[in-house]
Amino acid sequence: MGMTRQEKRALVMGLAFAAPWIIGFVLFVAYPVAASLYYSFTEFTGLDITGFVGFGNYIEMLTRDELFHKSLYNTLYYLSLAVPLGFIVALCLAMLLNLKIREVSIYRTCVYIPNIIPAFAASFVWLWLLNPEYGLVNLVLEQVGIWGPGWVSDPRWSKFSIVLMAQWGAGGSAMIFLASLQDVPRSLYEVAELDGASAWRKFRYITLPMISPVILFHVIMALFGAFQVFTPAYIMTAGGPANSTLFYVLYLYRNAFNYGKMGYASAMAWLLFILALVTTLIVMKTSARFVYYQGEER
Amino acid sequence: MRNHFRGKFLVVLVTAAMLVSLAGAVLAKEQVTFWTNHSGEPDRSTLESIVTKFNESQDKYEVEMTVVPGSETDVAKLMTAVAAGTGPDVYLIDRFTTAQRAVAGALTDLTPFIERAGWKPQDEYLPFAITESTWAGKVYSLPFDTDTRALYYRKPDFTEVGLDPEAPPATIDELTQVMDKLTKRITERRFDRLGLIPWMGQGWHYTWGWAFGGEFYDVANQQLTVNDPAIVESFAWQADVADKYGIAAIQGFASAFGSEAQDPFIAGKVSMIIDGDWKIAGLKIFGPELDYGITNIPTKPGVGPVTWAGGWAMALPRGAKNPDGGFEFARFAAGPVGQEIYTRETSHLPTIKALVDRTDLLADPRHEFFLAGLPFAKSRPAVPVGALLWDELTAARDYVINGDKTPQQALDDVIDRVQSELDKNL
Amino acid sequence: MAQTAPEARRRARVRSMRRKEIRTQILGRVVLIAMSVIFLVPIAWMISTSFKEAHQVMAYPPIWIPWPFAWENYETAVKAIPFLLYLRNTLIICASTIIGTLISSTLVGYSLAKIPWRGRNALLILILSTMMLPFPVTMIPLFVTFGKLGWINTFKPLIIPAFLGSPFYIFLLRQFFMTIPGELSDAARIDGASELGIFGRIILPLSRPVLAVIALFQFLGAWNDFLGPLIYLHSDKKYTLAIGLQMYRTTNYVQWELLMAASTLVVLPILILFFFAQRTFIEGIAITGIKG
């Protein structure tokens, strides 16, 4: 074809280095993905296919299933809060943990702890902290004259409470940001300082561009995580109160394993897939303007 | 001489080897695998002792038990294993999900095994239990243990507000009054103690629906009847309670105990709670000093004593490699010998008619109250949409107590969503 | 004299920078201490509960410092499950998956970031898109695949996929590799270095901090994974600690004091490990100044 020798060599090397994933894709991903696409057009209990329904599952969920709409709404609501908030919290934490303080190792460990401890211990403490009557959060709010809401027990606040709780795990993302902040050459800051640049300008014109590839990573992963938010609702609220934390994947899981509607669950999964893919492509396209790759091959 | 000896020795050796292998062929027992998610004690070790007893009782099968932890509705492990043909021969199933799993194709129909054995399980088991194990006239599981529900109340709280601790409320009206008397307010919107939170513990939609005299399912016509006027009334009563004390205040109060790690009844934050017989064991461990009573769930006048039962059952997953051995073990474990051991060691209630009067098996005399409830115990509709119906009823109750829907509308909506799913399976 | 004025200005500026730095440090400390306290509450509760007697677990208001300490909870908890066996199983899986992930994901990440081949961006999208389909719907067909291979009830379904790259780490590495200046690898290429040589001698050494993060994440992921071991392992001798922790749960209540004692035993080693591992970030490449 119209490839130079160099291009051919690059193609061969590129494929060779990517081989582990390609092998894994063929062995363990392609078939389950294709199977689930097929299931989405059937009535499938998880064990037996009892009928082929064409687009029936898709039509039912888009036109008739009220709970589907509710779960989609809940998820998008969660996503629109959790993604920006999670980004800000994680980045601020990372910047703090990047300060030259002698005992910073201790703080890093503390901040990371919620990622280590089992979820049930964390959920207990959260319910306790957010308790409207005795919880620390409302006690503090009361001091400043605000009557705090019933965080988890009030359907209007429950989603926001789960967003708040998710920030407790921000230590994980903060570690990735921290690793990337460590990579920013100190010489850049030194030059800027001698030029008398303000802290904001250093952040805006050095830090942000230098870590922008990792920001892109974080945003896309946070989007995926928010689209598929499941665990907190599964272990703490069981989707309640009044279905206010019935997230998309929780409802999907119930259809798949509790209601024996694996076909319907597969259709839900594929709709979510399309939604996530479109979102990702938009983010990727727009990111080209913001993300600065030092090592960009031109 | 030496050669002769050696020859003789060889003959003996060969004979011995042949004998051993022959005996091995006769004695080699067929493997039967058994999965349960009862990971805690005393349930786990009691199941193990039933397995041991079975293995000793005959020499054809050898059962091996594996604990598969996870919650009762977490069937991902069972479903994946059955799909790949790597499932067990026997599985201890939440009995109320039998119809659901049967329709999904996860279970083996036991009817041919039962017929071959010339056996009538209907004669042996309590009616509600064998009904739950049956779908479309076929038996898919053998009932194991069960449980019932009652009203627990703190005697000192009754004394404190001038109520007779030996005369707990019997009707809904009495209950409503007693709730009020037992409630201690700090301010208008804050409580130090609530008499009862209807939906706490085992105060489910089913509990109150039945207590008000409602029925959830018309078996003959295969129609859901969850908008039965009595059930609508029970929802309206819960909405009234929510209104009277303030839903935000109650739920706020209740969510202090939202996780399993805090028990408001032990802490004295509620004076009464609907709960199951297992609470006796929990109270013994976590609240050994507590002076409490157990009584029937208050009902509407004329409804009569009400309770409902759940429990577990032995099932054979589809694709069981040794279904005959599995059935033998299931029948043994769910039969008189297995259930007697289980009742004696765990105080879970039996589902076998022959054991219903055996109060001597119960460790704590308080369990007798629950045993006495078995003859009139109700059970959830044995339909393949049981889990969906449960989730929908729970959401409907939430809507009603939060004032988002009227009881009538919420329950009509449940029928709208669930009946069509049920019809697909009929 | 003419030269001292700018010199003095420079000194003043350095002094003011110092002052600012000290102010930032103090402020940072205050915020960090406050955050640490919030983040420490759950583990404090966990440890405190692990020393309680059963009847104190439910006490209200909560008891934070139990007295006397119920040390025996630890003995009971360890004896209730084959703790050392489960620890061994868990460590085998953790170690293997860390090795697998580090090898495979770095290779694929390198291909996507540093080898200019046509189609690499499409491959990236494909890799990312495999993360978008929720697991519940691919779980059964994937399980059937492992079943056909005869891998059920072995560690293989838990370990081998790690050797075939994980999208999360591949993408993370790709983003990190992209920030490494191209001149370094170009120069090596001109000198006749092979791709593998550039990858191993230039790119990997420059990526130590992110490799440490990945090792840590993978360790924790495997350590806490519940669903994978639950569905793939059918013999209780092969279980991991995450499954073992569920054994303190009875059908109707939880033996909290035992569960928390066992959890503490499971968490403390990771904490210590993390405390030392995070130094890798500090001693990252930035200090040596090779980069940029």
Side-chain angles (χ1 to χ4, degrees), chain C residues 20 40-41 44 63-64 83 104 107 118 123 125 131 142 147 162 164 188 207 216 224 248-249 266 279-281 287:
Chain C
K20 229 190 264 167
L40 275 174
V41 174
I63 298 172
W64 278 90
F83 199 87
S104 59
L107 285 170
R118 214 180 277 175
L123 186 71
I125 296 290
M131 294 181 78
L142 180 63
L164 300 172
S207 309
L216 177 77
N224 287 331
Y248 306 105
R249 215 170 254 279
V266 165
R279 279 170 192 274
T280 321
F281 311 133
I287 290 170

Side-chain angles (χ1 to χ4, degrees), chain A residues 43 45-48 50 60 64-68 70 120 123-125 127-128 130-134 139 142 147-148 150-156 234 236 239-244 251 253-262, chain B residues 71 73-76 79-80 82-84 100-101 103-107 186-187 189-192 248-249 251-259 261-262 269 318 384 387-389 391-392 395 398-399 402 404-405 413 417 421 424:
Chain A
E43 290 206 324
T45 64
L47 296 171
D48 299 314
T50 54
E60 181 177 337
R64 281 194 292 279
D65 189 350
E66 230 181 280
L67 268 193
F68 167 82
K70 179 139 202 161
F120 44 79
S123 66
F124 168 83
V125 182
L127 289 174
W128 180 78
L130 289 178
N131 178 264
E133 291 288 317
Y134 317 101
L139 229 60
E142 214 179 327
W147 193 276
W151 292 99
V152 185
S153 53
D154 186 333
R156 284 164 300 173
Y234 184 69
M236 284 182 53
N243 287 331
S244 60
Y251 186 49
Y253 183 89
R254 283 188 182 172
N255 273 301
F257 289 107
N258 296 355
Y259 307 157
K261 294 171 73 182
M262 185 62 88
Chain B
S71 77
T73 46
D74 232 337
V75 290
M79 294 296 271
T80 50
V82 171
Q100 181 120 28
R101 305 293 163 230
V103 165
L107 304 182
I186 300 169
T187 67
R189 339 179 17 172
R190 299 184 83 165
F191 301 96
D192 184 41
Q251 295 303 75
F253 187 81
S255 73
F257 308 100
S259 76
Q262 284 286 321
K269 293 288 162 187
R318 180 168 87 182
L388 178 66
L389 181 58
D391 288 346
E392 289 291 329
D398 280 356
Y399 287 130
N402 279 294
D404 295 336
K405 283 185 186 176
D413 289 353
R417 280 186 58 82
E421 288 297 323
K424 281 187 200 163

Side-chain angles (χ1 to χ4, degrees), chain A residues 14 100-101 103 105 108-109 111-112 117 124-125 134 168 172 182-183 194 213 228 257 273 293-295, chain C residues 13 25 29 39 41-42 45 60 111 129 131 139 174-175 178-180 217 220 275 278 281-282 286 291:
Chain A
K100 280 168 275 169
I101 297 176
E103 72 284 9
S105 314
R108 286 179 188 172
T109 311
V111 165
Y112 196 68
I117 72 160
F124 168 83
V125 182
Y134 317 101
W168 222 11
Q182 294 279 336
D183 266 1
L194 289 175
Q228 301 195 25
F257 289 107
F273 174 85
Y293 291 117
Q294 251 194 109
Chain C
R13 194 180 289 166
Q25 280 195 8
R29 259 203 187 100
F39 282 67
V41 174
W45 180 76
Y60 198 87
S111 166
S129 63
M131 294 181 78
M139 190 151 84
R174 184 242 183 207
Q175 295 306 91
M178 289 292 270
T179 65
I180 297 175
F217 278 30
L220 272 180
F275 181 79
Q278 51 81 33
F281 311 133
I282 310 173
K291 216 166 155 183

Side-chain angles (χ1 to χ4, degrees), chain A residues 145-218:
Chain A
I146 300 169
W147 193 276
W151 292 99
V152 185
S153 53
D154 186 333
R156 284 164 300 173
W157 285 92
S158 51
K159 277 185 280 288
F160 184 67
S161 302
I162 291 185
V163 173
L164 270 187
M165 287 181 228
Q167 302 320 310
W168 222 11
S173 305
M175 285 308 135
I176 293 182
F177 278 134
L178 184 59
S180 125
L181 287 173
Q182 294 279 336
D183 266 1
V184 180
R186 201 137 301 160
S187 53
L188 291 179
Y189 291 118
E190 280 155 12
V191 170
E193 273 160 23
L194 289 175
D195 287 347
S198 68
W200 166 249
R201 288 181 69 82
K202 277 189 286 178
F203 173 74
R204 173 68 189 80
Y205 294 104
I206 300 173
T207 312
L208 269 189
M210 291 303 282
I211 67 166
S212 60
V214 174
I215 294 178
L216 176 66
F217 168 83
H218 173 91

Side-chain angles (χ1 to χ4, degrees), chain B residues 249-402:
Chain B
I250 303 182
Q251 295 303 75
F253 187 81
S255 73
F257 308 100
S259 76
E260 303 163 80
Q262 284 286 321
D263 186 314
F265 185 71
I266 295 173
K269 293 288 162 187
V270 294
S271 298
M272 300 179 283
I273 190 167
I274 306 282
D275 224 318
D277 51 317
W278 58 81
K279 194 167 187 75
I280 293 172
L283 288 172
K284 205 179 263 172
I285 298 171
F286 298 118
E289 309 290 317
L290 190 62
D291 183 16
Y292 66 93
I294 299 170
T295 188
N296 278 316
I297 297 165
T299 60
K300 278 280 165 182
V303 172
V306 160
T307 188
W308 61 277
W312 298 79
M314 297 279 173
L316 273 60
R318 180 168 87 182
K321 292 192 184 58
N322 191 346
D324 292 310
F327 182 72
E328 279 307 306
F329 173 68
R331 201 180 156 186
F332 177 87
V337 182
Q339 289 213 14
E340 184 173 332
I341 297 174
Y342 203 62
T343 308
R344 191 182 333 110
E345 300 298 324
T346 67
S347 286
H348 293 307
L349 303 176
T351 50
I352 287 200
K353 286 178 186 165
L355 295 175
V356 167
D357 303 323
R358 292 286 301 278
T359 49
D360 59 302
L361 296 176
L362 301 170
D364 188 317
R366 286 191 252 228
H367 283 290
E368 288 172 27
F369 183 87
F370 292 92
L371 195 65
L374 283 182
F376 56 83
K378 295 181 179 289
S379 64
R380 289 159 285 182
V383 289
V385 291
L388 178 66
L389 181 58
W390 179 280
D391 288 346
E392 289 291 329
L393 284 170
T394 307
R397 185 212 49 208
D398 280 356
Y399 287 130
V400 168
I401 61 178
N402 279 294

Side-chain angles (χ1 to χ4, degrees), chain C residues 185-243:
Chain C
S185 35
D186 289 345
R189 223 166 261 150
I190 290 162
D191 289 348
S194 67
E195 286 297 340
L196 215 53
I198 299 169
F199 169 71
R201 292 217 195 90
I202 297 173
I203 305 295
L204 284 190
L206 284 172
S207 309
R208 276 213 314 260
V210 70
L211 294 181
V213 169
I214 288 174
L216 177 77
F217 278 30
Q218 179 57 44
F219 178 84
L220 272 180
W223 184 267
N224 287 331
D225 183 18
F226 176 72
L227 191 59
L230 177 71
I231 61 178
Y232 296 127
L233 303 175
H234 288 182
S235 145
D236 46 19
K237 288 178 192 65
K238 296 197 168 121
Y239 282 171
T240 59
L241 282 176
I243 296 186

